[in-house]
Amino acid sequence: MLKKPLSAVTWLCIFIMAFVSHPAWLQKPSKRKTPAQLKAANCCEEVKELKAQVANLSSLLSELNKKQERDWVSVVMQVMELESNSKRMESRLTDAESKYSEMNNQIDIMQLQAAQTVTQTSADAIYDCSSLYQKNYRISGVYKLPPDDFLGSPELEVFCDMETSGGGWTIIQRRKSGLVSFYRDWKQYKQGFGSIRGDFWLGNEHIHRLSRQPTRLRVEMEDWEGNLRYAEYSHFVLGNELNSYRLFLGNYTGNVGNDALQYHNNTAFSTKDKDNDNCLDKCAQLRKGGYWYNCCTDSNLNGVYYRLGEHNKHLDGITWYGWHGSTYSLKQVEMKIRPEDFKP
Ligand SMILES: *[C@@H]1O[C@H](CO)[C@@H](O)[C@H](O)[C@H]1NC(C)=O
Ligand SMILES: *[C@@H]1O[C@H](CO)[C@@H](O)[C@H](O)[C@H]1NC(C)=O
Ligand SMILES: *[C@@H]1O[C@H](CO)[C@@H](O)[C@H](O)[C@H]1NC(C)=O
Ligand SMILES: [Ca+2]
């Protein structure tokens, strides 16, 4: 009577209980498989693997493709770059070519200038009497040195001594007639004055310029008895105007007995209007000349010209203390220079 519905409920309960307590029992397939099931699984695994391999291969392929593409692109890019490079190179080349031709032109100009420099500094240049001598001008007398832009020298009239001690001397001072006053100012001593065949001062500016190469100075003197003496100095330099035409001398050689110019070594030039001497006095005014006055004189080659009879009474005459003392004025003097390396 009541057994049927109860049993139904019981079964339901059991079912539910079983379901709740073992939920996987219904879903989970058994771990153990039948041979058929195994075969199917194996096949699936193989297929899966093959598929994976295919996928791998195709991915590899596409990767390769991509890489190839990239390679190709990079090759194209490289080609393009090469092309543009070569274009750039070409333009650079044309640039370089034009620059090269420009340089060639400049080199031509420079070679021209160098050639001029060479001719202007070589023995061809007429720099002084020694260069005239080397060009076979062997007669003493007046010569005109041409102006020279390169040397910065103006046209200059000079008197060349082509005989004494081998010749090649440019005379910078002469006293022999007494017709020219040497009591002059700074500007006149700078530019030079007098007569080239008679008494003259070549000019401090010219003497300075001529002494820029290693130079010898020779001083020749004659007294009223007709005796001749000379004094020579190596390393003669006349400073520029900024240095007040300061005198520099090397060692003395000669036959005048006592050197009377070394006392004036390393001394500035003074004139009646410019007192550069080493004295409280104004030596140029006392000795009536322009000279490298120290305090004041051991020689006074630009002093007053005194004639015979007057020649031994004055302190401001043309004196060389080491020969005839401080009051004997000489009859003739010549100062001349030539390059140290001059060879007759
Ligand atoms: C593809 O195969 C190579 C060797 O053949 C392996 O090293 C790589 O891991 C595989 N890639 C994939 C995605 O399976
Ligand atoms: C002349 O003076 C300079 C400079 O002081 C000196 O070097 C030179 O030795 C002097 N010359 C003589 C001959 O004393
Ligand atoms: C001058 O002579 C001295 C000694 O005789 C020598 O030592 C010196 O080098 C000479 N100076 C010049 C410039 O020749
Ligand atoms: Ca003074």
Side-chain angles (χ1 to χ4, degrees):
M1 313 149 311
L2 278 173
K3 253 190 185 176
K4 254 191 182 172
L6 262 173
S7 72
V9 171
T10 308
W11 275 113
L12 187 66
C13 279
I14 289 167
F15 187 79
I16 290 168
M17 288 292 283
F19 187 75
V20 169
S21 62
H22 298 285
W25 179 74
L26 274 177
Q27 303 166 316
K28 250 190 182 171
S30 160
K31 273 175 190 170
R32 295 180 67 197
K33 283 162 190 161
T34 60
Q37 271 176 324
L38 270 174
K39 207 178 177 189
N42 275 354
C43 147
C44 283
E45 294 287 313
E46 272 172 49
V47 167
K48 264 187 208 160
E49 212 162 292
L50 276 172
K51 271 188 185 168
Q53 277 178 8
V54 165
N56 193 349
L57 277 175
S58 64
S59 85
L60 263 177
L61 208 67
S62 80
E63 217 166 286
L64 273 174
N65 272 343
K66 272 186 208 157
K67 192 170 179 290
Q68 227 173 18
E69 214 172 310
R70 261 185 274 129
D71 284 352
W72 175 243
V73 167
S74 85
V75 165
V76 169
M77 297 261 289
Q78 280 172 10
V79 167
M80 281 165 68
E81 204 170 321
L82 277 173
E83 272 176 327
S84 77
N85 266 353
S86 76
K87 266 185 200 141
R88 247 181 287 147
M89 294 276 280
E90 255 175 70
S91 76
R92 266 190 224 157
L93 206 69
T94 47
D95 258 19
E97 271 171 349
S98 70
K99 273 197 189 119
Y100 179 73
S101 72
E102 200 179 304
M103 266 162 63
N104 256 353
N105 286 344
Q106 279 176 353
I107 286 168
D108 283 349
I109 291 166
M110 274 158 65
Q111 276 172 343
L112 260 177
Q113 285 172 341
Q116 282 170 347
T117 308
V118 166
T119 54
Q120 278 168 327
T121 53
S122 75
D124 287 355
I126 300 171
Y127 188 82
D128 57 10
C129 291
S130 78
S131 16
L132 285 170
Y133 186 94
Q134 302 297 1
K135 285 175 87 82
N136 285 319
Y137 293 94
R138 301 288 162 86
I139 298 166
S140 295
V142 178
Y143 290 87
K144 228 170 215 149
L145 302 179
D148 195 321
D149 285 347
F150 180 77
L151 299 170
S153 51
E155 185 183 82
L156 183 62
E157 208 173 43
V158 290
F159 198 103
C160 297
D161 176 347
M162 301 303 202
E163 290 146 37
T164 305
S165 181
W169 298 98
T170 306
I171 301 186
I172 62 171
Q173 186 255 32
R174 188 189 293 119
R175 312 298 305 274
K176 75 170 188 188
S177 72
L179 297 174
V180 172
S181 166
F182 275 61
Y183 194 37
R184 307 265 184 153
D185 64 19
W186 184 264
K187 200 176 163 203
Q188 287 172 303
Y189 266 101
K190 176 184 175 176
Q191 293 169 345
F193 56 83
S195 143
I196 198 71
R197 286 188 171 82
D199 296 8
F200 72 93
W201 181 251
L202 188 63
N204 286 335
E205 204 53 42
H206 300 305
I207 301 169
H208 157 68
R209 191 162 39 73
L210 290 171
S211 74
R212 281 191 305 205
Q213 57 183 327
T215 298
R216 282 187 82 77
L217 169 70
R218 181 181 170 99
V219 181
E220 288 167 13
M221 294 163 273
E222 186 184 343
D223 65 14
W224 290 98
E225 286 76 43
N227 300 305
L228 299 168
R229 297 283 186 277
Y230 79 95
E232 262 192 48
Y233 301 86
S234 59
H235 301 91
F236 166 77
V237 176
L238 198 62
N240 60 20
E241 190 173 19
L242 277 173
N243 281 307
S244 303
Y245 300 120
R246 189 171 287 265
L247 172 72
F248 292 101
L249 293 170
N251 286 335
Y252 157 84
T253 51
N255 62 4
V256 72
N258 287 301
D259 175 14
L261 208 47
Q262 200 194 320
Y263 177 69
H264 302 268
N265 180 30
N266 198 8
T267 303
F269 202 85
S270 289
T271 52
K272 58 182 176 182
D273 59 333
K274 209 157 218 160
D275 179 8
N276 293 321
D277 60 30
N278 302 316
C279 232
L280 284 176
D281 291 322
K282 291 187 155 89
C283 293
Q285 292 178 15
L286 283 176
R287 298 287 188 261
K288 302 248 176 10
Y291 206 58
W292 305 279
Y293 291 113
N294 192 338
C295 190
C296 284
T297 44
D298 211 356
S299 61
N300 190 33
L301 301 177
N302 289 339
V304 179
Y305 193 91
Y306 288 108
R307 302 194 177 276
L308 190 63
E310 284 294 307
H311 70 281
N312 53 5
K313 297 173 183 165
H314 307 276
L315 276 167
D316 54 6
I318 302 166
T319 52
W320 188 276
Y321 289 11
W323 188 17
H324 283 301
S326 58
T327 56
Y328 187 102
S329 190
L330 298 165
K331 184 185 174 205
Q332 266 195 59
V333 176
E334 270 185 359
M335 298 172 81
K336 46 195 78 174
I337 57 176
R338 78 176 175 198
E340 201 94 61
D341 61 3
F342 176 83
K343 282 181 194 74

